[in-house]
């Protein structure tokens, strides 16, 4: 089984090298422990800092986008790469150092065991909460979006904005052709639910960003919440075959 880590990166000069080093160390220490191989590709999303130079100087497998497409466009580029190179599982893995590589096996096991098509690494599962839980206001916003997803799909998703996600070949093919650009995590989850893919959440460890700025700094703004709420509602009305 071949697993690809899709690592979107926009202006991550402070974090990207340490993120890659943590993955390499994990691979070195666990090479004989798992029945799968791990590769990664960094999608440099038109960074304006030294991200590209760091990737090139360290010969890190990467794709450099000529302009900033946003998280949705960057991640879809990764899914297209996964499809073209025939990977069995794709895992979204942030370049900012917040995702714990040691949780990787927890995320991919439900797919390997055919218990789910799509797995979300969650900070908010009942009785299994991660140490780092983000700000109070952001957690309130996540609960609101979780409720909207439940209304549109009758499926409870606790960590609707988690970017630590894994999927099988069928979803790789789907996302390589169609992936939301504005609010990809909650929107894409609704799309998968409407298409009857099975989704499972598992507890993972996440860490606080050590440098740089999040791409969703406006999460707690009224404008963001209104826009993403509308996107979820509209996605909820999509037909199963869309």
């Amino acid at each position: 089984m071949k697993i690809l880590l899709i690592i979107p990166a926009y202006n991550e000069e402070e974090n990207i090298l340490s993120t890659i080093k943590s993955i390499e160390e994990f691979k070195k220490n666990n090479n004989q422990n798992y029945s799968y191989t791990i590769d990664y590709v960094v999608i440099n999303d038109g960074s304006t800092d030294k991200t590209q130079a760091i990737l090139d100087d360290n010969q890190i497998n990467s794709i450099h986008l000529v302009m900033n497409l946003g998280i949705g466009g960057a991640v879809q580029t990764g899914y297209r790469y996964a499809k073209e190179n025939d990977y069995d599982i794709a895992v979204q893995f942030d370049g900012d150092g917040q995702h714990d590589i040691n949780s990787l096996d927890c995320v991919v096991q439900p797919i390997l065991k055919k218990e789910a098509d799509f797995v979300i690494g969650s900070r908010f599962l009942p009785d299994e909460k991660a140490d780092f839980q983000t700000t109070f206001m952001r957690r309130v916003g996540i609960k609101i979006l979780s409720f909207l997803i439940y209304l549109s799909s009758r499926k409870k998703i606790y960590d609707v904005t988690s970017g630590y996600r894994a999927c099988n070949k069928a979803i790789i093919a789907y996302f390589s052709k169609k992936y939301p650009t504005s609010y990809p995590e909650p929107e894409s989850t609704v799309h998968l639910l409407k298409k009857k893919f099975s989704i499972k959440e598992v507890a993972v460890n996440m860490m606080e960003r050590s440098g740089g700025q999040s791409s969703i700094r406006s999460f707690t703004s009224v404008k963001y919440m209104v826009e993403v709420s509308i996107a979820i509602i509209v996605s909820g009305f999509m037909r199963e075959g869309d």
Side-chain angles (χ1 to χ4, degrees):
M1 298 288 285
K2 296 197 308 178
I3 294 177
L4 177 71
L5 301 184
I6 298 170
I7 308 174
Y10 176 66
N11 288 349
E12 292 292 356
E13 64 180 8
E14 296 181 43
N15 303 304
I16 192 60
L17 193 56
S18 60
T19 296
I20 297 303
K21 286 182 177 178
S22 72
I23 295 170
E24 291 288 1
E25 188 69 19
F26 177 83
K27 290 172 61 178
K28 178 181 177 182
N29 293 336
N30 294 279
N31 188 44
Q32 305 299 323
N33 296 343
Y34 303 127
S35 60
Y36 49 80
T37 60
I38 303 168
D39 296 324
Y40 55 82
V41 60
V42 178
I43 312 299
N44 173 30
D45 190 21
S47 296
T48 57
D49 64 356
K50 297 178 182 177
T51 298
Q52 179 169 344
I54 291 170
L55 294 171
D56 290 343
D57 291 347
N58 290 275
Q59 298 183 318
I60 294 169
N61 186 37
S62 54
I63 297 172
H64 300 300
L65 303 181
V66 297
M67 61 181 294
N68 177 242
L69 297 182
I71 185 65
V75 168
Q76 186 175 28
T77 300
Y79 279 116
R80 289 181 176 177
Y81 180 94
K83 184 177 185 297
E84 290 172 2
N85 290 277
D86 198 32
Y87 281 94
D88 300 292
I89 296 175
V91 180
Q92 292 175 223
F93 193 85
D94 284 357
D96 58 14
Q98 288 189 289
H99 293 169
D100 187 352
I101 189 62
N102 295 297
S103 293
L104 177 66
D105 195 57
C106 296
V107 176
V108 300
Q109 279 299 327
I111 298 176
L112 293 171
K113 295 176 180 177
K114 300 189 184 303
E115 297 172 352
D117 301 306
F118 189 74
V119 179
I120 299 172
S122 177
R123 295 160 288 182
F124 306 123
L125 286 177
D127 302 322
E128 294 187 76
K129 295 180 180 178
D131 293 334
F132 173 62
Q133 295 241 325
T134 195
T135 65
F136 171 76
M137 287 305 298
R138 186 166 289 189
R139 293 199 302 273
V140 170
I142 288 170
K143 287 183 178 180
I144 292 171
L145 300 183
S146 175
F147 177 69
L148 290 174
I149 289 178
Y150 177 77
L151 286 181
S152 66
S153 67
R154 296 303 179 208
K155 171 72 174 179
K156 181 67 174 179
I157 302 294
Y158 291 92
D159 199 346
V160 299
T161 64
S162 171
Y164 204 166
R165 298 143 35 109
C167 67
N168 62 14
K169 267 190 171 182
I171 295 179
I172 289 173
Y174 176 65
F175 279 164
S176 69
K177 295 178 180 178
K178 181 175 182 178
Y179 195 76
T181 56
S182 298
Y183 311 102
E185 285 85 8
E187 277 191 81
S188 61
T189 299
V190 176
H191 289 183
L192 295 179
L193 289 169
K194 297 296 288 186
K195 292 187 70 66
K196 308 300 183 184
F197 285 110
S198 60
I199 297 179
K200 182 174 183 176
E201 277 187 275
V202 298
V204 297
N205 184 49
M206 293 193 192
M207 298 164 284
E208 190 169 4
R209 167 188 279 271
S210 60
Q213 293 183 318
S214 170
S215 62
I216 54 172
R217 296 189 302 279
S218 61
F219 186 90
T220 56
S221 73
V222 173
K223 181 176 182 290
Y224 178 93
M225 288 302 298
V226 169
E227 289 179 349
V228 71
S229 296
I230 291 172
I232 290 173
I233 293 169
V234 170
S235 296
F237 281 105
M238 69 181 286
R239 296 172 298 177
E240 184 178 331
D242 289 347

